[in-house]
Each structure stands twice: as structure tokens, then as C-alpha cells.
């Protein structure tokens, strides 16, 4: 397992790190990056924010399913809370980020459950989008995103009350990855292609396993 650790002075909590190219021996598979959703079959409509699991917050008046291309693209500044209490969330595709404001998606574990967000066709986080992995309650349960991600906004992992933070799929970053707790990148032969910024909090690591690789594409 590889660890990528920040070294910071006492004056700052984070520093911006441009990831150097890491040579990975015998890497033969380049996993695909996320593709933008070709359409929105179920779109978020409540610009006051609220729970992902409330049917009235969606254009179809139903929570997105594994066959949906879910979109959080209504203009405004608001937060969508995906606090998982039981079954995990699976969608075909997910797009976050409108043309203005800030649209935040909190992927949250709870006292009773780990949180997992899975997308088969990919997650696209636009320039105005923000996705955060954290805890909704006091238990230190895990939060995982499965599937390819294309990030032009902000993707953040928070320590909150503890637990693992896992990115399990290829990731193309042209925005900001803000890792405020040690984060594992472990999709099978997944590639993190960095064209943006990686901010590591003091003492945190980006851990690579399962033949995952990191490259600096700039």
C-alpha cells in the first residue's frame, strides 16, 4: 500500500500539492473516467435543500433508482443530504453542479449504517458542485464512493466522528480534492488523473491499493 503524506508548517492546516507522476510497475489496464450523464431522468427540485430520500424533492416525485441518471443541477446554493440509514444508494449516473451558486451533496453514514454511493456510468461533479464524504451522526462509520468520478468542483473527505473514507473508481480531477482525513483510493487498477489541486490536511494520507495509480496529467 502506498501512502502520500503532506508535510506542513505550523502556520497552515493544508497546503496545495501537485501530485508527481508515480511509476506503477505492470499497470496494464487504464480504467475509464466518468462520462457525463446523457440525460436527467430524475432531477432535484428543492432549492432550499433537504434529504435525498424525500420523494417530493425530485422531479419524478420518486427517489432515484439504479436505472436513473440523477441530476442536482438546479441553480442556487443548497445542500442535499444523503444520510444512509440502511440500504446503500445506487444510480446509473449522477451529475452535481449548476451554472451558478453552490450545490453540495453530503454522502453521510449514520449511527446504524455505513454509507455507499455507487454509480455504474459515472459521477460528474461540475465547477459549482461540492461532494463531501462525512458522518451524519456520532458513530464513526465508513463512507465509500464506487464508480468513476469526474471532478471539476470540490470533492472533500471529512474525519467527522471517524471511519474509513474510500474512493473506489477511477477519478479525473480538474478541480480540488480536499482530503481532511486519510483517504483510500482502491478501485481495481483505477487511475487518479490529477489536473487540479490536491489539498491534504496535516498528517493525512492518500493510500493506494488494489493496483490503483496516481498520475499528474498537467
Amino acid at each position: 500500500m502506498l501512502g502520500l503524506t503532506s508535510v506542513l508548517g505550523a502556520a497552515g492546516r493544508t497546503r496545495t500539492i501537485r501530485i508527481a507522476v508515480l511509476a506503477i510497475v505492470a499497470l496494464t489496464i487504464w480504467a475509464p473516467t466518468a462520462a457525463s450523464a446523457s440525460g436527467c431522468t430524475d432531477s432535484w427540485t428543492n432549492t432550499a435543500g433537504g434529504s435525498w430520500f424525500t420523494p417530493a424533492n425530485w422531479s419524478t416525485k420518486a427517489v432515484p433508482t439504479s436505472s436513473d441518471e440523477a441530476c442536482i443541477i438546479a441553480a442556487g446554493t443548497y445542500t442535499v443530504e444523503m444520510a444512509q440509514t440502511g440500504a446503500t444508494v445506487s444510480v446509473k449516473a449522477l451529475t452535481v453542479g449548476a451554472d451558478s451558486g453552490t450545490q453540495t451533496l453530503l454522502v453521510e453514514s449514520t449511527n446504524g449504517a455505513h454509507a455507499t454511493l455507487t454509480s455504474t456510468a459515472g459521477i460528474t461533479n461540475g465547477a459549482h458542485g461540492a461532494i463531501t464524504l462525512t458522518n451524519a451522526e456520532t458513530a464513526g462509520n465508513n463512507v465509500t464512493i464506487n464508480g468513476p468520478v469526474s471532478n471539476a468542483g470540490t470533492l472533500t473527505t471529512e474525519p467527522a466522528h471517524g471511519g474509513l473514507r474510500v474512493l473506489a473508481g477511477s477519478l479525473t480531477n480538474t478541480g480540488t480534492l480536499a482530503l481532511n482525513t486519510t483517504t483510500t483510493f482502491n478501485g481495481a487498477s483505477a487511475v487518479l488523473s490529477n489536473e487540479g489541486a490536491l489539498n491534504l490536511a496535516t498528517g493525512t494520507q492518500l493510500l493506494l491499493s488494489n493496483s490503483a495509480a496516481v498520475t499528474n496529467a498537467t
Side-chain angles (χ1 to χ4, degrees):
M1 181 175 288
L2 283 171
L4 192 68
T5 309
S6 63
V7 179
L8 304 177
R13 179 170 179 265
T14 62
R15 66 179 293 186
T16 298
I17 296 177
R18 296 284 184 172
I19 306 176
V21 176
L22 300 180
I24 304 298
V25 178
L27 178 64
T28 59
I29 300 175
W30 181 277
T33 57
S36 297
S38 58
C40 298
T41 63
D42 202 0
S43 296
W44 183 268
T45 59
N46 185 358
T47 56
S51 173
W52 172 282
F53 300 103
T54 300
N57 289 331
W58 296 96
S59 59
T60 64
K61 303 307 177 187
V63 176
T65 68
S66 60
S67 63
D68 277 313
E69 296 183 8
C71 293
I72 303 173
I73 57 174
T77 296
Y78 54 88
T79 298
V80 178
E81 297 183 64
M82 186 190 286
Q84 298 182 20
T85 58
T88 61
V89 174
S90 180
V91 293
K92 178 181 177 182
L94 173 62
T95 301
V96 180
D99 293 330
S100 62
T102 300
Q103 298 74 47
T104 299
L105 173 64
L106 300 181
V107 184
E108 301 168 299
S109 65
T110 60
N111 288 348
H114 301 299
T116 302
L117 169 60
T118 299
S119 174
T120 53
I123 297 171
T124 301
N125 191 35
H128 291 272
I131 299 175
T132 300
L133 285 63
T134 188
N135 310 124
E137 297 176 330
T138 57
N141 282 327
N142 305 337
V143 185
T144 300
I145 290 182
N146 288 317
V149 177
S150 177
N151 179 54
T154 303
L155 177 59
T156 304
T157 61
E158 290 291 349
H161 298 286
L164 301 178
R165 303 292 180 263
V166 180
L167 301 173
S170 286
L171 193 159
T172 298
N173 177 49
T174 57
T176 298
L177 299 180
L179 307 184
N180 296 323
T181 189
T182 293
T183 301
T184 300
F185 182 67
N186 69 350
S189 298
V191 176
L192 193 165
S193 179
N194 182 54
E195 303 173 25
L198 174 62
N199 296 342
L200 294 177
T202 303
T204 64
Q205 293 179 304
L206 175 60
L207 303 176
L208 310 182
S209 63
N210 203 16
S211 297
V214 178
T215 63
N216 184 30
T218 58

